[in-house]
Amino acid sequence: MMGPLGSIARYDYRQFVLDELVAAKAGRTVSVCLPARDERSTIGPIVDQVHGHPLVDEVLVVDDHSTDGTAEAAAGAGARVVRASEVLVSHGDGPGKGQALWKATAEATGDLIAFLDADVRDFSSRFVVGLLGPLLLDERLAFVKAFYERPGDGHPRGGGRVTELVARPILHLLFPHLAEVVQPLAGEFAAPRAVLEQLPFVEGYGVDIGLLIDAAARFGVDRLAQVDLGVRVHRNRPLTDLGPMATVVLMTALRRAGIDQVPDHVLLDQPDVHAVPVTYAERPPLATLSR
């Protein structure tokens, strides 16, 4: 470990030795989950590197209403594929990132669950090693969050636009104990199943900041960690897509700060663009369901 950064332990993927991590598994099983929607061009190569990895017992892809053959590409590379529309249908069939993560947690079989984004163009198995390393070596940890270099942004440790303009500022203002989290909206994170099953999952793009805040509140900041995964390249979304994403991130954080006036639904009127409805909803902790 590189040493504590405040109260959140900070790691670097380069410090982990694969053979030591394999030994540290000690009978525990690992699921790597990828929620994916129309990611045919990247999902196959990612699954190909994860499938058969010595730390991984299951690769699970949740196909979130894809229309481009994502499911077939993932299955062809060795993943177990489930369709979001067919999992826990009594709680809705989606689509949306948060519900796909929630359904992946419900379907995964591992004791430890690692989530990866499916749109990464320079994927490396170091992502798996880095996310799982802290959990395997320190059973006290409850939640591990990734951070990385995004070379297209021109900032070595800068997050995306929503991260830097919305997520990190609101954490500084309302959740200062989490202000040191480098990339709170990173889609790569890992946790024991028993932890994830006790947390609600916000539908849509509020899920990442919601899980971070909730994990800290329920299990303690000292049981969180973040890990440097090196360089990560993925597609950047157009600016018009970021307004709705930023809105639901704000909704999530404000609600968790106890601000009751936050509505469940807003119509985001963007100049010269069609108005976009943004709705806040959550999926309940899986531990509360009778399945």
Side-chain angles (χ1 to χ4, degrees), residues 32-35 58-62 79-82 103-105 107-108:
V32 171
C33 300
L34 296 102
E58 175 185 47
V59 183
L60 176 68
V61 171
V62 176
R80 178 166 74 93
V81 179
V82 298
K103 292 186 176 189
T105 303
E107 283 289 310

Side-chain angles (χ1 to χ4, degrees), residues 122-134:
D122 62 338
F123 183 83
S124 166
S125 60
R126 73 177 184 272
F127 289 15
V128 175
V129 172
L131 285 172
L132 293 172

Side-chain angles (χ1 to χ4, degrees), residues 109-257:
T109 61
D111 301 312
L112 304 177
I113 302 177
F115 288 96
L116 302 174
D117 277 349
D119 65 346
V120 179
R121 297 197 299 268
D122 62 338
F123 183 83
S124 166
S125 60
R126 73 177 184 272
F127 289 15
V128 175
V129 172
L131 285 172
L132 293 172
L135 292 176
L136 292 172
L137 296 178
D138 186 354
E139 295 187 21
R140 182 187 62 87
L141 290 177
F143 196 83
V144 176
K145 191 78 171 175
F147 66 97
Y148 33 74
E149 179 180 350
R150 294 165 53 102
D153 295 335
H155 301 287
R157 284 290 172 261
R161 289 161 287 179
V162 178
T163 292
E164 296 303 323
L165 298 177
V166 178
R168 297 196 75 243
I170 204 165
L171 289 181
H172 277 76
L173 289 170
L174 300 179
F175 303 93
H177 55 289
L178 296 174
E180 65 198 69
V181 176
V182 180
Q183 289 169 355
L185 303 186
E188 291 83 7
F189 64 94
R193 166 193 295 286
V195 167
L196 293 172
E197 288 182 339
Q198 296 180 62
L199 302 176
F201 282 59
V202 177
E203 294 182 12
Y205 287 102
V207 63
D208 291 308
I209 198 168
L211 287 172
L212 176 66
I213 294 169
D214 291 345
R218 186 172 184 90
F219 299 99
V221 177
D222 62 331
R223 295 183 64 190
L224 272 57
Q226 52 184 338
V227 59
D228 185 347
L229 295 185
V231 177
R232 178 187 187 277
V233 178
H234 68 153
R235 72 169 184 271
N236 281 323
R237 296 179 180 275
L239 188 61
T240 52
D241 288 355
L242 300 186
M245 185 185 303
T247 301
V248 76
V249 167
L250 280 171
M251 284 174 157
T252 303
L254 292 173
R255 283 172 171 270
R256 276 153 177 74

